[in-house]
Amino acid sequence: MVLQFLIRILANNEHLVQRLSESYPMRKAAQVIVRAVFSGKNFIEERKLHEKLTPEQFRALMNEVAANFQNKIKQAHESIKGKMK
């Protein structure tokens, strides 16, 4: 509850949000997300999966992609931790 309060205060601080948005890690994170979205969109369109899949199959595919993405993030995190030691 206290954490939510602090996050709300920080999120409403326009100057802080502006400085964070201009920081290298935030820009890089935004680039990674946009690249992932567009590459996923292109992957689906190239293979015409949007025409072949039922909503349930699409949901299962997205869950698989999300799990794979989370695994990649964990691997990157462990790699960074290993380099810092």
Side-chain angles (χ1 to χ4, degrees), residues 23-58:
S23 69
Y24 177 78
M26 289 296 195
R27 285 195 326 263
K28 200 63 171 171
Q31 289 172 353
V32 167
I33 290 170
V34 168
R35 183 174 182 194
V37 167
F38 280 107
S39 64
K41 181 182 174 192
N42 290 337
F43 176 82
I44 289 171
E45 288 177 352
E46 285 174 1
R47 288 163 179 77
K48 298 189 189 298
L49 293 177
H50 62 287
E51 297 172 355
K52 298 176 185 175
L53 294 177
T54 65
E56 293 80 18
Q57 292 171 328
F58 181 74

Side-chain angles (χ1 to χ4, degrees), residues 59-75:
R59 199 171 299 120
L61 177 65
M62 289 298 106
N63 288 337
E64 183 180 331
V65 168
N68 188 17
F69 188 67
Q70 287 176 347
N71 287 336
K72 294 290 183 183
I73 290 174
K74 286 179 186 176
Q75 289 173 358

